[in-house]
Amino acid sequence: MRSLPCRPLVAPLLPVLLCALVALGVPGTAAAADARDGGDGRKGSDGSPGSPGSPGSPGSPGSDGHGGPSTSVEVARLYVEAQSATLRYETGRRAAGVQRARVKHLERLLAKERYEVAVLHEDLGRMASAQYRTGGGLPLTARLLLADNPDELLRGRRVVGQADLAVTNTVARTQRAAARLAAAQRSATRARDVLDRREARLARLKRDIEAKLESARWTLQEEADASAAAGRCRGAVRLAQPESSSTRAWVTPVETYELSAGFDSAGARWAARHTGQDFAVGIGAPVRSVGAGRVVRVACGGGFGMEVVVRHEDGSYTQYAHLASVAVDQGERVRTGQWVGQAGTTGNSTGPHLHFEARLTPDLGSGVDPVGWLAERGVGL
């Protein structure tokens, strides 16, 4: 068993206590956990640096460091597929919604046109009745002979004829407009039906991928728990890194998230104050290095479970804890946004999330507020 370094961690008396416990054969990690803040787990047990264990040799892409198939790689693949399926589903859902709104709009226009045609037909009917009541059923010659004022009759006849023609033309135009609208409505309805069927297919695909992802996530977590319990890392799982055209020097540690417990917050879960910022994400969510640097620690035991610590080019450090897998080896250089692992719930964790710390040194107790630290580097949460 490695002897623990007897340097001050929290209080001047702590090194003496730790060295005394080591001399008595009590594991230093557990003693330290009882003596200081748990960082992110249950009271007095999280936040231990953990032991590096056996980092192992870099695994080839798609392997777990031992040449076999990797659950981590499968989860990462399904995670990306689920994101893509969700994006396609949401895009299809919006397109179907737009098309449904267009069909309703056309239905309203068509109803209006049909109403106007009906009104015009009623006007024609009233005009025909009026002509019949004023002798419109007699030949024009007979009406001229019988009229007291033939000129007035002719003028009235011309006015009625012009009105009749105008109404007839209006009816024809309105009927043509109604026919065009009816054709457009039929076309839009067909398009809506196609989009509705596509939306249903995408919804089924999304559900299937998410179900596979959920199952694979917990398989990954079980494997991670076994490794963390043994205090041994299985070696870096080489994940297919996403392509990025970003030129930003700093990014968030996860792409999609909800903030949960913040820095220096109090609660029943911690012996003292919370030492980092938690990001609520699902098991297997890719965790990325917020900036370029070098990996200075890969640990798989203790309250933080699987963790990675990176030293950045400006001399600061960041920690990524409670991981379900690690994708880098100690000593490896990483670039901004590179995946360093996958989120999980190893160690003293109450549920899947990423515990992220910004530190002045690689060790617990030197943390600063990660929100402010990222804001200073142009990254808002």
Side-chain angles (χ1 to χ4, degrees), residues 226-246:
S227 293
R232 298 184 60 193
C233 297
R234 295 175 294 166
V237 178
R238 299 301 173 178
L239 303 175
Q241 296 290 332
E243 294 182 5
S244 175
S245 58
S246 174

Side-chain angles (χ1 to χ4, degrees), residues 73-154:
V73 173
E74 177 68 5
V75 169
R77 182 185 67 80
L78 287 170
Y79 188 90
V80 172
E81 280 191 14
Q83 284 187 319
S84 177
T86 299
L87 179 61
R88 292 198 306 273
Y89 169 73
E90 291 299 327
T91 300
R93 186 179 63 82
R94 286 193 295 270
V98 169
Q99 195 63 28
R100 282 192 287 271
R102 181 169 180 262
V103 170
K104 288 182 179 179
H105 177 65
L106 289 170
E107 287 174 348
R108 288 193 295 269
L109 291 178
L110 184 56
K112 180 181 176 182
E113 291 293 337
R114 286 172 172 164
Y115 173 76
E116 290 180 357
V117 170
V119 169
L120 290 170
H121 274 296
E122 289 180 3
D123 289 343
L124 282 175
R126 283 194 296 270
M127 293 173 67
S129 298
Q131 288 183 40
Y132 180 78
R133 286 196 301 271
T134 58
L138 295 174
L140 181 59
T141 303
R143 278 186 286 152
L144 287 171
L145 292 173
L146 296 173
D148 296 332
N149 190 337
D151 290 337
E152 185 177 346
L153 178 61
L154 287 173

Side-chain angles (χ1 to χ4, degrees), residues 54-74 219-220 223-224 227 232-239 300 306 324-329 342:
S54 304
S57 58
S60 60
S63 78
D64 59 3
H66 302 286
S70 170
T71 306
S72 299
V73 173
E74 177 68 5
T219 300
L220 173 64
E223 295 173 359
S227 293
R232 298 184 60 193
C233 297
R234 295 175 294 166
V237 178
R238 299 301 173 178
L239 303 175
C300 297
M306 289 188 179
S325 78
V326 294
V328 290
D329 283 310
Q342 292 168 283

Side-chain angles (χ1 to χ4, degrees), residues 16 72 84 94 100-101 111 142 144 163 177 192-194 213 224 238 251 292 319 321 326-327 330 332 358 368 376:
V16 178
S72 299
S84 177
R94 286 193 295 270
R100 282 192 287 271
L144 287 171
R192 180 202 61 192
D193 292 342
V194 170
L213 175 58
R238 299 301 173 178
V251 295
Q319 180 212 30
V326 294
Q330 194 162 303
E332 182 177 335
V368 296
E376 290 173 359

